[in-house]
């Protein structure tokens, strides 16, 4: 199965194509009736360029995995609006797909997190970047292009497809081990997290026996609710681990990304040791929990839509599109597309001043009524599906193709194999515990049985 299908080209489509879709889209706005939401939207509309009366951000999901209701209201009434962050600093919210794509491919917006005005969502996030070596995700071109290019070879669509058989084998083994265990189990702990980390550990040359030690620090660092001290401590422990790992690979290199960087980048002098460690650290921590979360949410969505699961089992060729719809519908990394304007920029008729921060809300963009008919309906046969779950433009997620393969292989191992036990939820949906409603959507656990 070729990974580069028409559905998968959609996230890389030009803004012109997106604009074309917008021009012929139809509006299908949900009639939100919550007075608090309307009040918040009214605040955003009336705030203008001032942040004092703007609503606080992040908004909270109303329950479960549903997006914040404010997103739909803002798309309708004020698609580019003001809000304020935890420390009172102002931010612009970009809610519609066309505008999100425009700002994410406009290099007048900077990704450098130490730039004055760059929006951070918590004290822990500010502490995590203080004094550390930046990685390519926090650089602007040309530095970004140079450093991303050093590892991009390992994350191409072709390389992801080459790994499909190995990833499917790992997924099948994890699923088989889970099905042999005492039920019920937490799918996240027994399957989703180990799959995501086994894949990246193999690519980096990290022994999987270090999983327990590393995963705790990764979780603390990624949690927006962590204290500044805990986030900084977790960051340091992970950095120290990567430092020691690089030292071992300098003495005994293998066929992995870190060893290749030592040979091709460090020894010729293209980067220094601190930059190599920072890049290895990034690849360790970035996105793996998100992949696991998407597997959990995808399983939940398919188990609660049995008609669509039956359709998928009867037509397994629908798997790429089903995975793409999971990505659009849930957008598990929904608060990462933050930028700061380097100069005055006009977006959708709104002037954003140099030094002002923005967040491109891809969760909102993925429910844009002008692009996605019936956007609040989960539909594995949705086409086209030009979602921006992995971002867009210069900083689009480097591992998007690998993540897609992992999601597809995970869903296949759990739900599509003939003769495998029939997975089902071990508790009612109403008893499932989701993540903090102001943070990225996810499940704290997913109890399953068979």
């Amino acid at each position: 199965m070729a990974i580069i299908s028409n559905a998968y080209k959609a996230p890389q489509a030009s803004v012109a194509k997106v604009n074309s879709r917008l021009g012929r889209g139809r509006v299908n706005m949900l009639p939100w009736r919550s007075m608090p939401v309307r009040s918040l939207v009214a605040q955003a509309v009336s705030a203008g360029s001032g942040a004092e009366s703007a609503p606080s951000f992040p908004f909270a999901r109303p329950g479960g995995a549903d997006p914040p209701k404010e997103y739909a209201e803002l798309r309708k009434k004020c698609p580019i609006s003001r809000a304020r962050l935890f420390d009172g600093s102002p931010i612009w919210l970009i809610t519609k797909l066309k505008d999100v794509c425009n700002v994410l491919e406009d290099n007048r917006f900077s990704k450098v997190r130490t730039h004055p005005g760059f929006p951070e969502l918590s004290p822990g996030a500010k502490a995590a970047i203080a004094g550390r070596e930046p990685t390519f995700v926090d650089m602007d071109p040309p530095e970004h292009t140079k450093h991303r290019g050093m590892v991009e070879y390992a994350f191409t669509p072709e390389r992801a497809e080459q790994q499909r058989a190995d990833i499917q084998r790992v997924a099948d083994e994890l699923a088989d081990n889970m099905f042999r265990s005492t039920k019920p189990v937490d799918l996240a702990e027994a399957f989703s997290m180990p799959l995501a980390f086994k894949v990246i550990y193999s690519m980096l040359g990290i022994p999987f026996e270090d999983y327990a030690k590393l995963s705790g620090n990764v979780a603390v660092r990624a949690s927006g609710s962590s204290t500044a001290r805990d986030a900084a401590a977790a960051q340091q422990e992970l950095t120290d681990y990567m430092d020691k790992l690089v030292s071992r690979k300098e003495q005994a290199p293998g066929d992995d990304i870190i060893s290749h960087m030592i040979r091709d980048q460090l020894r010729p002098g293209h980067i220094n040791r601190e930059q190599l460690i920072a890049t290895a650290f990034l690849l360790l921590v970035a996105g793996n929990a998100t992949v696991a979360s998407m597997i959990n949410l995808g399983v939940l969505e398919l188990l609660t839509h049995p008609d669509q699961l039956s359709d998928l089992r009867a037509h397994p060729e629908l798997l790429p599109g089903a995975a793409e719809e999971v990505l659009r519908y849930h957008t598990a990394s929904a608060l990462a597309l933050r930028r700061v304007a380097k100069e005055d920029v006009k977006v959708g008729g709104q002037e954003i001043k140099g030094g002002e921060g923005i967040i491109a809300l891809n969760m909102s963009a993925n429910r844009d009524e002008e692009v996605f008919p019936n956007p609040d309906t989960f539909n594995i046969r949705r086409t086209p599906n030009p979602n921006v779950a992995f971002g867009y433009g210069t900083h689009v997620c480097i591992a998007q193709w690998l993540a897609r393969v992992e999601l597809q292989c995970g869903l296949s191992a759990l739900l599509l194999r003939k003769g495998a036990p029939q997975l089902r939820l071990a508790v009612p949906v109403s008893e499932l515990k989701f993540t903090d409603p102001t943070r990225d959507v996810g499940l704290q656990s997913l109890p399953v049985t068979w």
Side-chain angles (χ1 to χ4, degrees):
M1 185 191 314
I3 191 169
I4 312 177
S5 66
N6 289 336
Y8 289 141
K9 291 179 182 177
Q12 296 296 329
S14 67
V15 172
K17 289 181 180 178
V18 174
N19 290 346
S20 174
R21 173 67 180 143
L22 286 166
R24 65 178 185 271
R26 61 190 176 113
V27 175
N28 188 23
M29 178 64 63
L30 285 177
W32 298 117
R33 293 185 291 273
S34 169
M35 283 304 295
V37 173
R38 290 185 175 179
S39 297
L40 284 170
V41 172
Q43 277 184 267
V45 173
S46 64
S49 60
E52 295 80 5
S53 60
S56 296
F57 185 85
F59 302 134
R61 302 192 309 275
D66 293 336
K69 292 184 177 182
E70 291 86 350
Y71 290 172
E73 283 291 320
L74 288 174
R75 289 195 302 270
K76 180 179 180 181
K77 296 180 178 178
C78 190
I80 300 174
S81 61
R82 270 302 214 190
R84 54 187 172 84
L85 300 176
F86 72 98
D87 57 359
S89 58
I91 189 173
W92 288 101
L93 307 179
I94 316 296
T95 64
K96 293 185 71 65
L97 182 64
K98 177 174 66 174
D99 296 327
V100 164
C101 291
N102 282 333
V103 299
L104 293 180
E105 70 170 6
D106 189 336
N107 286 330
R108 292 175 295 176
F109 290 99
S110 175
K111 190 66 168 59
V112 177
R113 292 174 67 180
T114 55
H115 194 295
F118 189 93
E120 297 291 355
L121 300 183
S122 70
K126 288 181 178 288
I129 65 168
R132 72 169 172 81
E133 184 73 37
T135 61
F136 61 81
V137 297
D138 296 333
M139 297 175 181
D140 293 333
E143 290 81 7
H144 169 268
T145 308
K146 170 188 172 183
H147 287 271
R148 177 175 171 133
M150 293 178 182
V151 293
E152 200 158 24
Y153 75 92
F155 298 96
T156 63
E158 294 78 14
R159 182 63 68 93
E161 189 60 32
Q162 290 167 8
Q163 294 181 82
R164 180 182 291 275
D166 287 338
I167 294 172
Q168 191 66 68
R169 176 183 53 78
V170 172
D172 291 348
E173 289 174 355
L174 284 169
D176 288 340
N177 289 338
M178 182 187 76
F179 287 135
R180 285 193 291 265
S181 66
T182 302
K183 53 188 178 181
V185 301
D186 175 10
L187 187 71
E189 182 179 321
F191 181 86
S192 306
M193 287 294 286
L195 175 60
F197 278 97
K198 273 181 176 287
V199 172
I200 195 62
Y201 281 23
S202 175
M203 294 175 70
L204 293 174
I206 295 175
F208 191 69
E209 51 263 31
D210 292 342
Y211 170 72
K213 175 170 60 177
L214 295 177
S215 60
N217 281 323
V218 171
V220 170
R221 180 189 174 277
S223 173
S225 59
S226 297
T227 66
R229 177 180 294 181
D230 288 346
Q235 174 99 5
Q236 189 58 53
E237 288 190 27
L238 289 167
T239 301
D240 292 344
Y241 176 89
M242 297 309 298
D243 187 6
K244 294 175 183 176
L245 181 66
V246 168
S247 295
R248 293 202 301 269
K249 291 187 177 298
E250 286 178 306
Q251 299 301 316
D255 185 18
D256 55 73
I257 293 174
I258 295 176
S259 297
H260 289 178
M261 288 190 70
I262 291 171
R263 182 193 66 204
D264 299 335
Q265 307 298 338
L266 180 62
R267 288 178 178 161
H270 302 313
I271 57 174
N272 60 41
R273 200 169 188 279
E274 289 70 27
Q275 290 170 324
L276 188 154
I277 292 170
T279 300
F281 172 90
L282 169 71
L283 297 177
L284 170 66
V285 303
N288 299 300
T290 304
V291 170
S293 184
M294 292 311 307
I295 293 172
N296 296 334
L297 291 166
V299 167
L300 173 62
E301 214 58 52
L302 287 166
L303 290 180
T304 54
H305 289 83
D307 55 335
Q308 296 196 55
L309 178 55
S310 295
D311 189 18
L312 180 58
R313 284 171 169 159
H315 303 280
E317 68 276 9
L318 295 175
L319 179 59
E324 207 67 21
E325 179 68 348
V326 171
L327 292 167
R328 181 200 72 86
Y329 193 72
H330 285 300
T331 316
S333 180
L335 300 169
L337 305 180
R338 304 186 306 280
R339 305 286 190 272
V340 61
K342 295 189 286 188
E343 58 186 79
D344 294 354
V345 184
K346 186 164 285 189
V347 179
Q350 174 65 56
E351 184 175 59
I352 296 174
K353 297 287 188 181
E356 292 183 338
I358 69 163
I359 180 165
L361 294 171
N362 54 336
M363 177 181 278
S364 174
N366 283 342
R367 300 288 184 110
D368 192 335
E369 299 83 357
E370 295 183 10
V371 181
F372 303 100
N374 303 310
D376 297 308
T377 298
F378 180 76
N379 177 10
I380 66 170
R381 289 180 175 267
R382 182 181 298 277
T383 184
N385 192 343
N387 71 80
V388 284
F390 293 106
Y392 190 85
T394 304
H395 285 274
V396 67
C397 176
I398 192 173
Q400 61 169 322
W401 305 110
L402 177 66
R404 283 183 165 100
V405 170
E406 290 180 67
L407 176 56
Q408 292 171 30
C409 290
L411 295 177
S412 176
L414 293 167
L415 299 173
L416 302 187
R417 289 187 300 158
K418 293 181 179 179
Q422 297 293 294
L423 198 70
R424 66 180 190 274
L425 296 179
V427 299
V429 173
S430 60
E431 294 182 14
L432 293 174
K433 297 184 184 303
F434 289 81
T435 51
D436 182 331
T438 64
R439 303 297 174 187
D440 280 332
V441 62
L443 289 152
Q444 294 183 22
S445 64
L446 182 58
V448 294
T449 188
W450 47 90

